[in-house]
Amino acid sequence: MSASPSFGGGLQAFPGDMDHSADASGLLEGSDIGSQKERVVTEEEWLQKWEMGNIGFHKEQRHPLLQKYLDVLLNGRSGLRIFFPLCGKAVEMKWLADMGHTVVGVEVSEQAVKEFFSDHSLPYCEEPVPEISGAKMFQSTSGNISLYCCSIYDLSSSIVGKFDGVWDRGALVAVNPCDRQRYASLMISLVEKNSSYLLVTVSYDPNKHKGPPFYVPESEIKSLFGNCCEIRCLEKVDDFSERHRQWGLDYFLELLLVDAVCLALCNSSSSASSPGSVAAVVQTLFSGTLALHQAGQREEGSCCKLVLSIPVNSCQVKSWQRVGKARQQLSRGNYHPARNAGGK
């Protein structure tokens, strides 16, 4: 095992790399998800877990990966709106709210929501959600923590607004495999352009444990989010414990991924070979700006804002320069894609 830095709670760190996700046992991610594909956990089963106190997924301490990569989520910004999908009673919600951010969560268990407020001695008010039958919204009297008690699929941006950041730990991996596309589409609809989405997934042999948490292969994460986000694996940690041994597993990794959301790509008809690549972004920019130009509806500054949501390297700087030049030519009405393809 690597001598990489370790976290409290038995987490052993490994370098992040989305292309080489080898675990401590020498196995690779990307294998078939086995019998988990057809696995369905009902809402009643989740409610029963809370009623019986069978909540080994809840952590009493702040997640060490969120603490380590908090700056990636916040990106130097203050007063953000941060979303916690399937939030349970996550302690990180109060932590972020105490920093001055507005926290919104959704959880199907009313018991979990009430326990969150009681555990932190937070006074709150309760009110119905008119748009969702039977749903309730619990809000701290300070107003900076709002938890919706309902199915996550009942939410929409018209109800909860949009978010600058997402902390998804224990959410995607709890969603039934058959519902992942629905979940991903909802999450994409709830985030602002240039938001940061921190996603924690798990890696283990899915033929040895039926889940949840479910194993979500790297290829599926790219399929779910890759057209709208640039995905990077920040770190892998060995989180194997006696609990996992009892499940019949011999390894259990947590992976922290960051999705740099670039939402304009979602609505593009551009057919670049790699949707998350710089080439695809530039192609989208050219085709989108040309369409606006042809319609006589140029939107100043829109193309450059899109590229800036992607981490910088020298190739991208050159791409930005070409985009800027194309934009100047467009404003004069003399941009020709074929002639300018080489950036000349």
Side-chain angles (χ1 to χ4, degrees), residues 24-334:
S25 301
L27 301 175
L28 292 174
E29 280 202 53
S31 61
D32 185 76
I33 64 173
S35 59
Q36 290 188 355
K37 184 176 181 180
E38 307 300 328
R39 174 92 161 108
V40 173
V41 182
T42 65
E43 181 177 305
E44 289 70 26
E45 288 179 83
W46 284 112
L47 293 175
Q48 188 176 42
K49 287 178 183 289
W50 282 98
E51 291 168 3
M52 301 296 292
N54 183 19
I55 54 171
F57 48 83
H58 173 69
K59 303 297 183 184
E60 296 290 346
Q61 304 297 323
R62 295 193 293 268
H63 199 291
L65 287 175
L66 178 58
Q67 294 184 87
K68 180 175 180 179
Y69 292 99
L70 180 62
D71 287 346
V72 176
L73 178 64
L74 303 183
N75 195 24
R77 300 168 294 173
S78 59
L80 302 187
R81 300 190 77 241
I82 300 176
F83 186 50
F84 279 66
L86 311 187
C87 62
K89 55 177 183 177
V91 299
E92 295 90 352
M93 293 190 289
K94 184 177 185 298
W95 182 51
L96 288 168
D98 287 344
M99 294 181 191
H101 304 291
T102 297
V103 171
V104 176
V106 60
E107 169 58 49
V108 72
S109 170
E110 184 171 327
Q111 177 180 333
V113 172
K114 289 182 174 179
E115 285 184 8
F116 168 78
F117 288 105
S118 64
D119 287 352
H120 296 282
S121 302
L122 291 174
Y124 65 91
C125 57
E126 172 186 337
E127 58 185 58
V129 181
E131 301 90 342
I132 306 173
S133 176
K136 299 178 182 178
M137 192 266 283
F138 297 79
Q139 187 174 65
S140 61
T141 54
S142 61
N144 59 350
I145 302 176
S146 301
L147 306 184
Y148 288 79
C149 186
C150 61
S151 167
I152 189 171
Y153 302 115
D154 289 332
L155 295 184
S156 66
S157 59
S158 63
I159 298 173
V160 296
K162 292 199 172 188
F163 300 96
D164 307 299
V166 177
W167 171 243
D168 185 331
R169 183 264 165 191
L172 177 62
V173 297
V175 169
N176 292 324
C178 61
D179 291 328
R180 284 177 189 156
Q181 184 60 66
R182 183 184 182 191
Y183 174 86
S185 297
L186 172 64
M187 296 304 296
I188 290 168
S189 75
L190 293 179
V191 294
E192 297 280 9
K193 189 190 303 183
N194 300 327
S195 61
S196 293
Y197 188 138
L198 290 187
L199 169 65
V200 178
T201 64
V202 295
S203 177
Y204 62 86
D205 185 346
N207 295 302
K208 293 184 177 181
H209 179 61
K210 63 181 182 179
F214 294 111
Y215 165 64
V216 186
E218 169 193 331
S219 58
E220 186 166 1
I221 295 170
K222 290 182 176 179
S223 174
L224 291 171
F225 296 100
N227 287 340
C228 303
C229 310
E230 184 181 12
I231 304 170
R232 291 180 292 137
C233 182
L234 297 179
E235 192 155 344
K236 304 181 190 76
V237 293
D238 181 4
D239 194 29
F240 187 71
S241 68
E242 181 58 33
R243 176 170 172 249
H244 304 124
R245 191 186 307 278
Q246 292 174 2
W247 291 353
L249 301 179
D250 49 19
Y251 71 95
F252 188 91
L253 299 180
E254 278 196 332
L255 290 78
L256 178 66
L257 298 93
V258 59
D259 298 354
V261 180
C262 192
L263 292 179
L265 289 175
C266 298
N267 301 317
S268 170
S269 59
S270 174
S271 57
S273 59
S274 178
S277 68
V278 175
V281 174
V282 174
Q283 180 176 334
T284 301
L285 290 172
F286 284 165
S287 60
T289 309
L290 281 170
L292 286 171
H293 178 69
Q294 291 165 355
Q297 298 175 342
R298 263 194 331 270
E299 183 179 345
E300 290 299 319
S302 60
C303 60
C304 290
K305 289 179 184 176
L306 179 61
V307 181
L308 289 176
S309 68
I310 297 178
V312 180
N313 62 38
S314 59
C315 294
Q316 288 164 297
V317 170
K318 293 178 182 177
S319 295
W320 298 348
Q321 292 170 343
R322 288 197 292 270
V323 170
K325 182 177 180 181
R327 185 164 169 251
Q328 291 174 354
Q329 293 173 329
L330 272 171
S331 67
R332 297 193 295 268
N334 61 353

